[in-house]
Amino acid sequence: MNKKIIFLSLILLTIFFSFTYFFKSNNKIVYNSKAVSLMKKYHILEKIDKNTYSKTLEIALESNDFQEQYATFYQNIDYIERKNFIQEINSLLSNNYSPEDINTIFAKYHNIHNFEINELNRYEEYRTKNNCSLEEAVLKVNIGLDHDFYTNINSIKNSSEYTVLVNKYHTLEKYEPQDLKSLSYDSKYQLREKAADAFEELVSKAKLDNLYIRPYSAYRSYERQEIIYNNYVIKDGKEKADTYSARPGHSEHQTGLAVDVWSEGYNYIKENDAKWLKENSYKFGFIVRYTKENQHITGYIEEPWHLRYLGIEIATDVVNKNLTYDEYYDLYLK
């Protein structure tokens, strides 16, 4: 009986140590058994410094991103807890950054969670040009603001998501939503189902507060937006039209998640109604998308009548954080 207990104990200890770190007599951490096994597999035991432990090397070995030619480089790179850390340092190493360079880069940027390793040069150029913080440079570059509007455009891959970001750097091309629902005010105005239901609730609550809000533009197809935009260009010229009208493929209206509103009986939004929308629309999942103070980010003049549906949780967070949706998307959703 005692022999069986001893035998089982030895097995359990073996299993335990195979998943934990071994320690030398001087209490230095050494590589776990899996890492050592992989070193033998890749024939790198003779290449690395066996007296120095590197968490970066160990994590690299155990990932699907390990590249044998970088084994000795991994050992000299300080480990940072990031989702795609090994992929990122592989990218830098492939571009001839040294381990010392990489340590400097991550010491500088690793606390900025939205920084992208392939945009380092753009961040530095923007920061130098605008004399701003690293955090601001990263955010503005990620949005695309180091390029002119309607340049460096990306095709949107998640067109049907309620959180989709549509702006002057991201195009929907010819996407058409599949769950459009007519609004009770007039069946020609349509929004995607969740947005339509939320808008009806918003209008009903506004009425209780003696405000009468009606839609005057909701879903627009790519083709409809093209006609509207071109007419504005003919009327005011392209430069001015771009400040208040989206080019086809770049309009939030095409998502079926945006609605423009007027005050009842008026061809504009009254100041009191605009104030109510700014203070209450998020409670129904909408934000006032284009504000005067953020024209340099959105590229549009103030539009207190333009509401964008995001859902109550996200809309509330955007308002509480006092961000444009462009900023919020990069910081919290992308």
Side-chain angles (χ1 to χ4, degrees):
M1 186 70 176
N2 288 338
K3 287 183 179 180
K4 286 184 178 180
I5 293 174
I6 292 170
F7 179 73
L8 287 173
S9 298
L10 288 171
I11 291 174
L12 289 172
L13 283 171
T14 301
I15 294 171
F16 173 78
F17 280 112
S18 68
F19 290 100
T20 56
Y21 293 120
F22 291 108
F23 290 84
K24 291 182 178 178
S25 58
N26 59 1
N27 291 326
K28 283 186 178 180
I29 298 175
V30 297
Y31 297 101
N32 63 38
S33 58
K34 182 179 179 180
V36 172
S37 176
L38 288 166
M39 288 178 194
K40 292 177 181 176
K41 174 184 175 181
Y42 291 119
H43 307 290
I44 63 170
L45 273 173
E46 66 280 3
K47 298 178 183 178
I48 65 169
D49 180 357
K50 300 177 184 61
N51 295 314
T52 303
Y53 170 77
S54 167
K55 186 172 183 179
T56 299
L57 175 56
E58 186 168 82
I59 295 296
L61 283 162
E62 296 176 355
S63 76
N64 294 323
D65 301 308
F66 176 78
Q67 294 191 30
E68 186 178 342
Q69 69 269 31
Y70 297 145
T72 56
F73 294 108
Y74 292 142
Q75 196 169 31
N76 294 304
I77 295 172
D78 299 331
Y79 182 73
I80 300 293
E81 192 69 46
R82 285 177 61 85
K83 184 178 179 181
N84 298 310
F85 182 59
I86 304 303
Q87 290 180 17
E88 290 177 331
I89 61 177
N90 285 346
S91 175
L92 291 172
L93 288 167
S94 70
N95 284 292
N96 299 316
Y97 284 86
S98 69
E100 293 75 19
D101 294 333
I102 294 171
N103 286 336
T104 299
I105 288 167
F106 280 101
K108 189 175 183 180
Y109 281 98
H110 82 275
N111 287 324
I112 305 173
H113 77 275
N114 58 326
F115 102 90
E116 299 174 17
I117 203 72
N118 295 324
E119 306 297 351
L120 287 173
N121 291 337
R122 290 173 65 192
Y123 297 149
E124 293 298 333
E125 288 173 8
Y126 188 92
R127 191 165 78 101
T128 300
K129 183 178 179 180
N130 295 279
N131 191 28
C132 62
S133 67
L134 279 174
E135 289 81 0
E136 183 180 353
V138 169
L139 179 58
K140 296 296 174 60
V141 167
N142 286 356
I143 291 172
L145 294 171
D146 58 330
H147 292 88
D148 293 336
F149 292 127
Y150 293 120
T151 63
N152 199 37
I153 295 170
N154 299 293
S155 295
I156 293 169
K157 307 299 182 186
N158 61 335
S159 303
S160 64
E161 292 184 8
Y162 275 82
T163 55
V164 61
L165 175 69
V166 182
N167 59 21
K168 295 185 177 186
Y169 300 107
H170 295 84
T171 177
L172 286 161
E173 297 178 342
K174 294 197 173 183
Y175 162 76
E176 295 180 14
Q178 300 301 305
D179 58 344
L180 292 171
K181 180 179 180 180
S182 295
L183 300 178
S184 60
Y185 178 82
D186 188 326
S187 61
K188 73 181 179 184
Y189 300 116
Q190 296 178 308
L191 291 173
R192 291 187 63 187
E193 188 171 3
K194 287 182 181 179
D197 292 343
F199 184 72
E200 302 287 9
E201 291 180 20
L202 181 151
V203 170
S204 296
K205 181 60 172 70
K207 283 182 180 178
L208 293 175
D209 292 341
N210 296 314
L211 302 172
Y212 297 91
I213 293 168
R214 65 180 179 87
Y216 76 88
S217 186
Y219 166 70
R220 299 181 200 148
S221 68
Y222 181 99
E223 291 76 14
R224 177 60 182 157
Q225 186 65 32
E226 190 171 33
I227 292 169
I228 291 171
Y229 176 77
N230 287 340
N231 285 338
Y232 284 134
V233 170
I234 293 170
K235 177 177 176 286
D236 290 326
K238 197 166 191 174
E239 184 176 350
K240 186 173 181 181
D242 278 339
T243 67
Y244 64 83
S245 180
R247 296 182 187 180
H250 294 270
S251 173
E252 286 194 324
H253 287 283
Q254 191 183 335
T255 67
L257 300 171
V259 56
D260 293 337
V261 298
W262 278 344
S263 299
E264 188 83 17
Y266 294 84
N267 288 332
Y268 59 87
I269 185 79
K270 293 192 296 185
E271 184 177 346
N272 192 46
D273 290 5
K275 183 175 183 293
W276 186 91
L277 288 171
K278 186 176 182 180
E279 294 174 353
N280 292 279
S281 62
Y282 72 91
K283 299 172 185 176
F284 305 90
F286 291 90
I287 60 169
V288 178
R289 181 69 168 93
Y290 306 121
T291 60
K292 184 177 181 179
E293 62 270 24
N294 290 311
Q295 184 175 348
H296 64 292
I297 295 175
T298 65
Y300 294 105
I301 61 171
E302 181 181 19
E303 293 189 1
W305 56 81
H306 180 99
L307 304 179
R308 163 65 196 273
Y309 181 77
L310 294 169
I312 293 173
E313 182 179 352
I314 292 177
T316 300
D317 207 29
V318 171
V319 170
N320 287 342
K321 288 182 166 62
N322 194 29
L323 297 169
T324 63
Y325 188 53
D326 312 81
E327 295 168 306
Y328 185 89
Y329 187 88
D330 183 71
L331 288 167
Y332 302 105
L333 296 179
K334 185 176 66 175

